Amino acid sequence: GENVEQHPSTLSVQEGDSAVIKCTYSDSASNYFPWYKQELGKGPQLIIDIRSNVGEKKDQRIAVTLNKTAKHFSLHITETQPEDSAVYFCAASGGSSASKIIFGSGTRLSIRP
Amino acid sequence: DTEVTQTPKHLVMGMTNKKSLKCEQHMGHRAMYWYKQKAKKPPELMFVYSYEKLSINESVPSRFSPECPNSSLLNLHLHALQPEDSALYLCASSRGLPGAEAFFGQGTRLTVV
């Protein structure tokens, strides 16, 4: 089955700086890669996603890149703000896990004022 | 509307109690999911319903019993739980197609005493 690894587990950046979170996946047939943001006491919120036929996608301060050959994808947050502080999960779906969303272990992002 | 509604938000139950968690969505999604999330861990898949039929059971103990009465509702019946079952239980839904976005509810915080 699919396995998703995520790094780093914790990340602290100065407000206004950029943050990058990286994930790798094992199943080359996976074709959908969402990113979720989870704030304390809340459910995961879908913030951006990318499909295997696209290399990069942007939405305001957030961007995701995908390298299918290397089987890794990354989340980039620019001009970080205090409200970006949360736990971020990458995930993979499709292939042998078509009906499942397999999550990475999560990254706790803290924005220093 | 991308809302998945879960009730109750919090639940405390004894090991001999029977209780139910409820989940509702009105996005016309045909796949619904139950996930379990322990503190500082990613969500773990428990069950997947596709077109109101159970399609995946991730070897979940029988003290957890899912039910999908119709395409908008998903229940999780709980009986004879153990303290280690205390966790955040998350419901999600998607269109049910490979690569479809999944949206999560806010979860039910369950404490077994």
Side-chain angles (χ1 to χ4, degrees), chain A residues 41-103:
Chain A
K42 297 186 176 182
Q45 176 192 6
L46 179 67
I47 56 171
I48 195 167
D49 56 18
I50 192 167
R51 302 180 191 282
S52 57
N53 59 346
V54 175
E56 183 175 3
K57 183 177 178 181
K58 289 184 180 179
D59 183 3
Q60 299 183 351
R61 296 185 297 109
I62 295 174
V64 58
T65 59
L66 171 65
N67 183 327
K68 283 195 302 181
T69 302
K71 289 190 285 188
H72 66 68
F73 56 115
S74 300
L75 177 71
H76 304 252
I77 306 174
T78 59
E79 301 174 11
T80 52
Q81 300 171 4
E83 53 265 36
D84 295 330
S85 294
V87 178
Y88 291 81
F89 292 101
C90 62
S93 182
S96 61
S97 306
S99 296
K100 305 180 184 181
I101 303 166
I102 307 300
F103 285 85

Side-chain angles (χ1 to χ4, degrees), chain A residues 22-43:
Chain A
K22 298 183 178 182
C23 290
T24 60
Y25 60 98
S26 61
D27 186 351
S28 56
S30 289
N31 56 14
Y32 175 62
F33 306 92
W35 285 87
Y36 287 88
K37 174 184 181 182
Q38 188 172 25
E39 297 175 295
L40 195 62
K42 297 186 176 182

